[in-house]
Amino acid sequence: MSAAPVRVVMVVPTYDEADNIVPLLERLRAAQPDVDVLVVDDGSPDGTGRLADAFAARDAGVSVLHRTEKQGLGAAYLHGFRVALERGYDVVGEMDADGSHQPEQLGRLLEALPGADLVIGSRWVRGGSIVNWPRRRELLSRGGNLYTRTLLGIDVRDATAGFRLFRRATLEQVRLEDIASLGYVFQTDLAVRTLRAGLRVREVPIDFVERVRGESKMSGSVATESLRRITRWGLEERGRQLRSAAGRWRSRLEQRRTATR
């Protein structure tokens, strides 16, 4: 008996992406016609949700979730992930709606999946690139990822990347119901949780292209909040490591005392 085909869905959160959503869906469905798409719209006032609905009406591989308010990127992804799991998908992916992630490169992530529990499309591994970014933004992203990697002790070059594929079992094991990160730091949170669970993370190179239509949702306050959370997580992790080391030291000391009695 042949194995059942793997069902894959890409979760695409949207807010005011009326200029981008239809071109993205067209490219994605053309590049990977066997991959479904779940658009999660946070009540976009510019009509993004209506455009997605119209596309879904003529393409059975696309569906749309409508949320009543904008609660952050992480909240939209968590909603989409839960629905994807309820619908029985084996692999759940994520990507931006603004065209920064190239649908034509999704195949790179799919090819890496057999050896991983989470695949990340990375800007900062060999072969990855960024297009049309100012030097300041590149330095901020590289520096932020270096800070994250050093403070949290993880071997991921692009922990903030949003082009990913998760196995169903990965999302179940990291316990989505326990995740409280609702903003952009959600990406780092999930990567760390995956690694802490002892699961395999692979990074593959992608070309990240700066949006050409619409406005970025990233701001200085969002970046600052992300760094604040990562700093807190890093300090908490260092605290756990110190307590663990102190416990081992006390245990060895007690063993020596017992042996000399």
Side-chain angles (χ1 to χ4, degrees):
M1 181 181 296
S2 61
V6 175
R7 297 182 63 218
V8 184
V9 64
M10 297 302 294
V11 177
V12 181
T14 57
Y15 184 79
D16 280 358
E17 294 291 355
D19 293 334
N20 295 308
I21 187 59
V22 171
L24 176 76
L25 292 174
E26 290 174 340
R27 290 173 61 192
L28 183 51
R29 295 294 288 152
Q32 296 291 338
D34 293 329
V35 173
D36 290 344
V37 187
L38 176 58
V39 177
V40 184
D41 186 64
D42 272 359
S44 298
D46 72 346
T48 300
R50 293 192 298 274
L51 291 171
D53 280 336
F55 195 100
R58 61 180 186 269
D59 188 332
V62 177
S63 58
V64 186
L65 295 177
H66 293 277
R67 291 160 55 81
T68 58
E69 58 184 326
K70 190 173 186 291
Q71 296 178 322
L73 184 70
Y77 270 130
L78 285 173
H79 189 175
F81 288 172
R82 292 189 188 103
V83 170
L85 293 177
E86 290 170 359
R87 293 180 180 178
Y89 285 99
D90 304 298
V91 177
V92 182
E94 58 173 83
M95 66 187 301
D96 291 348
D98 60 10
S100 296
H101 300 139
Q102 307 305 293
E104 297 78 12
Q105 295 183 349
L106 176 56
R108 299 183 184 182
L109 279 68
L110 291 167
E111 290 172 359
L113 192 61
D117 300 294
L118 162 60
V119 179
I120 298 176
S122 177
R123 298 160 290 187
W124 309 128
V125 296
R126 184 182 296 276
S129 73
I130 52 172
V131 180
N132 296 329
W133 264 23
R135 183 62 174 169
R136 178 175 177 275
R137 185 174 177 187
E138 177 182 352
L139 291 175
L140 283 173
S141 181
R142 286 185 180 273
N145 273 286
L146 175 61
Y147 181 78
T148 298
R149 191 163 64 251
T150 302
L151 195 62
L152 299 182
I154 60 174
D155 187 22
V156 175
R157 306 292 298 183
D158 200 351
T160 60
F163 197 11
R164 303 181 173 197
L165 292 177
F166 294 89
R167 290 187 180 277
R168 176 187 187 88
T170 303
L171 293 178
E172 292 173 339
Q173 194 162 340
V174 300
R175 296 179 58 83
L176 296 177
E177 64 272 17
D178 293 339
I179 297 176
S181 305
L182 300 182
Y184 282 82
V185 76
F186 169 83
Q187 308 290 13
T188 302
D189 193 356
L190 267 185
V192 171
R193 286 171 181 266
T194 301
L195 289 167
R196 297 284 188 263
L199 302 177
R200 303 163 300 173
V201 176
R202 288 188 63 184
E203 292 183 272
V204 297
I206 62 161
D207 302 310
F208 185 95
V209 181
E210 176 65 0
R211 67 161 66 229
V212 296
R213 296 180 294 270
E215 296 182 0
S216 173
K217 310 304 187 297
M218 177 62 74
S219 65
S221 61
V222 169
T224 299
E225 176 60 22
S226 295
L227 287 175
R228 184 180 296 116
R229 282 180 175 265
I230 290 168
T231 300
R232 189 182 74 234
W233 293 341
L235 293 175
E236 290 173 350
E237 178 62 22
R238 292 295 180 267
R240 284 192 292 270
Q241 292 174 353
L242 289 173
R243 288 191 295 272
S244 178
R248 291 194 299 271
W249 181 82
R250 286 193 297 268
S251 178
R252 288 195 297 267
L253 183 60
E254 183 61 30
Q255 290 173 358
R256 291 174 183 170
R257 287 175 177 172
T258 301
T260 58
R261 287 175 184 170

